[in-house]
Amino acid sequence: MRQKPNLVFIMPDQLRADFLSCYGAGFIDTPHIDGLALQGLRYERAYSPSPLCVPARCTLLTGRNAVTNGVLTNERFLRPDLAGGGIHTWPELLAGAGYATAAIGKMHFYPWELSMGFEHRVICEDKRWLDVDDDYQRHLQEHGYRKMHGNEHEGYQENRGAFVHQVPLEHSWDRFVGDEACRYIREQDGDEPFAMMVGFPGPHCPYDPSPEYLDLFDENEMPPSIPDAGLTPQLLEDRVASNKGAWNGVDYTEFDETHKRRIRTHYAALVKQIDDEVGAILQALRSTGRWEETVVIFCSDHGDHLGDHGLIGKGDFYEASIKVPLLVRLPWSHDATTVEGFASIGDITATLLALAGCPLPSYMDSQPLPGLGLPGAPTRERIFGFLASGCMNFDGTWKLVRYANGEELLFNLDEDPTEQTNRLADPACSDTLRRLDAELTREWMRSVNAANTDKIVAHHPLYNDKEYGKKGWQRPYPQTFP
C-alpha cells in the first residue's frame, strides 16, 4: 500500500442509523454498507451536533462547530474570505498534501458551483433545488427528462410526500451520483492519492424511490413511530408550518400512523437503492486495484424523524434527528469492531487529515475519531449541539436541550430511550440540570470567543510595541490564528 491512503467519504443525506441492517434493522437488508462494518469500525453512538444540511456540512468542511464557523441555519454559509482569516477547508489542506480531491453529488454550497477546495466537482444538488442548472440537470435534459417537484406526482399530498418517481431508475438522483463516483475512481491513473467525497441526495425527502425498490418492501413490516408525548408543541407547530412552504408543500397537520408507515416504506426503498450504489463504488475500488489502499468512511449529515414525536425531517435534538450511522473501513485492518463510546461526525474532518498525515490546525474543534489508532483521539465525554433554533448537552445518559422558542427538555436516555418524560422540573434532577447547564454555557462561550478570533487586535501586548505607538498604525484584519 502507498504511504498515503486514498480517502473515500460517502455521505447520504438525512439517513438515520436504525434503517441499516448493521444497526439492527430487521426489515431491510443493506449488505454493501454492512460490509464496511464487517471489515471495519461501527460507531454505535455517532451523532450530528448540528442536524441540518448546511450547518452539518460547514462543520465538516472546516472542522469547526456551528457557533465557531457562524453557520447555524440552512440560510447561512461560510465567509468567502476564510483563507484570509487563516482557515482552510479539509480538501484544501489535502490538496496541499499532494491529494487529488473530488466532490461528487450534493454538497449544498452557496453559490452551488463553488469549489471550496475540491479540484474536481460533479454536482447533483438538493432534490428541492429544481432550478439549479447543475450536472444532473444537464444529464436529465440530454435524456429527455427534467427535475420535478413532488407535487407533480400522483399521491404526493395524500401520502405526505411519498411517491414513485417518474424519472426511470437509470437516471435517478442517486444512480447519477453513484455512476459519477465510479467513473472518477476508474479514471484515476496517476501516482498521487485521491480524496473523494460522495454526497447522495437521498434518502432526503421527497420520499421518491424508483418502483423497482419500493416493490421490495411491505408497509406492514415497517417499525412503528415513537409517540408524541406533547413535550414540544411549539416545535411541532413550527415544523408543520415550515413544511407547508413551497419548497415542500405538504400539510402534516394530520399525520397518522398510516401516513408514517407509507413514508417509512418509501424511505427504506431509497436506503436500499443507496446501498446498491455504495456497492458499485466499493466494486469500482476493487476492480481498479485500489481497495487495499483506500480508507472508506460512511456517515450521514443528520437523521429524519419519519413521524417520531409527530415530527418529520430534522433540525432538533431528538435522537431520530441527531443519531446517525458512522462506519470506517481501514485497508490495513479487517476486523469488525464496535465502538461503544461517543462519536461526533464533526470529527471526520480531523480523521481525514490525520489519515493523510496532515497536522491539525489549531482553530479546529474536530479531533480524530477514537478506535483508529490515531494520535490525539480521546473518546468524547459529551456531545454539544448547536443550531440557531436551540442547543444541547448530552453526556450519554442525560440530555439537556434548550430551544429558542422557550421549550426546554431534560431526558435520562438510560431510563427513557424514546424521550417521553421531561425531567426538567424534577427536584431529584436539579444537580444534574445545573451541571449540564454550566457545561453547555462554558462551551457556548468558548465557541463564541473562538468565532471572533479574526477581530483580535494583536496576538502580543501592545503597551510596549513601538510600531503601535506611531501615528498611522493599522491593526491587521482579518487576524489569523496563532
Side-chain angles (χ1 to χ4, degrees), residues 60-331:
L60 286 163
L61 274 172
T62 64
R64 311 182 81 207
N65 72 39
V67 175
T68 307
N69 67 43
V71 182
L72 291 152
T73 72
N74 275 346
E75 292 72 38
R76 299 184 186 183
F77 198 62
L78 300 167
R79 52 189 288 180
D81 63 339
L82 272 180
I87 299 171
H88 299 277
T89 64
W90 68 261
E92 287 177 325
L93 294 169
L94 289 186
Y99 275 78
T101 57
I104 313 293
K106 175 181 174 179
M107 297 293 134
H108 222 324
F109 298 160
Y110 295 118
W112 57 266
E113 71 269 30
L114 281 179
S115 71
M116 298 307 297
F118 289 106
E119 299 164 322
H120 175 76
R121 287 201 66 193
V122 178
I123 306 173
C124 178
E125 260 311 325
D126 192 298
K127 292 192 283 185
R128 299 296 189 178
W129 296 72
L130 304 181
D131 294 324
V132 171
D133 189 23
D134 56 13
D135 297 297
Y136 179 58
Q137 180 82 295
R138 291 189 287 277
H139 170 86
L140 288 176
Q141 291 170 349
E142 289 170 2
H143 292 86
Y145 301 101
R146 62 178 176 85
K147 296 180 183 178
M148 302 177 70
H149 195 287
N151 59 23
E152 299 180 74
H153 295 76
E154 182 179 354
Y156 178 68
Q157 178 61 244
E158 296 88 334
N159 295 327
R160 301 302 186 266
F163 59 89
V164 173
H165 209 291
Q166 297 179 38
V167 174
L169 172 63
E170 59 267 28
H171 302 300
S172 61
W173 307 83
D174 294 324
R175 173 60 57 85
F176 174 79
V177 171
D179 285 349
E180 291 298 322
C182 292
R183 185 197 309 275
Y184 181 81
I185 292 169
R186 290 193 296 266
E187 290 179 351
Q188 297 309 297
D189 56 6
D191 292 330
E192 64 181 351
F194 67 87
M196 177 177 66
M197 182 173 179
V198 182
F200 286 106
H204 191 291
C205 64
Y207 308 105
D208 57 348
S210 300
E212 298 92 326
Y213 284 91
L214 185 61
D215 290 345
L216 299 175
F217 295 92
D218 183 343
E219 290 184 14
N220 295 318
E221 296 179 355
M222 292 297 109
S225 66
I226 293 173
D228 176 20
L231 304 179
T232 48
Q234 188 61 54
L235 176 66
L236 179 57
E237 181 180 329
D238 292 345
R239 193 68 50 82
V240 170
S242 171
N243 278 277
K244 290 179 181 178
W247 67 276
N248 191 6
V250 175
D251 186 354
Y252 287 96
T253 303
E254 181 186 347
F255 194 25
D256 61 29
E257 197 63 28
T258 298
H259 297 133
K260 296 171 186 177
R261 286 186 179 275
R262 184 148 302 162
I263 285 173
R264 287 167 178 244
T265 305
H266 286 66
Y267 182 89
L270 288 168
V271 174
K272 181 66 175 177
Q273 179 176 339
I274 289 171
D275 182 67
D276 282 347
E277 302 304 330
V278 170
I281 293 170
L282 302 185
Q283 181 56 36
L285 290 170
R286 295 185 182 98
S287 64
T288 57
R290 294 182 173 86
W291 179 243
E292 292 304 329
E293 55 188 30
T294 302
V295 174
V296 180
I297 299 177
F298 179 93
C299 85
S300 185
D301 52 351
H302 48 73
D304 189 329
H305 281 287
L306 303 177
D308 284 348
H309 308 286
L311 298 165
I312 196 71
K314 69 285 182 180
D316 54 74
F317 297 102
Y318 283 115
E319 290 288 284
S321 176
I322 62 174
K323 191 171 184 180
V324 295
L326 176 55
L327 309 170
V328 181
R329 183 266 178 186
L330 303 172

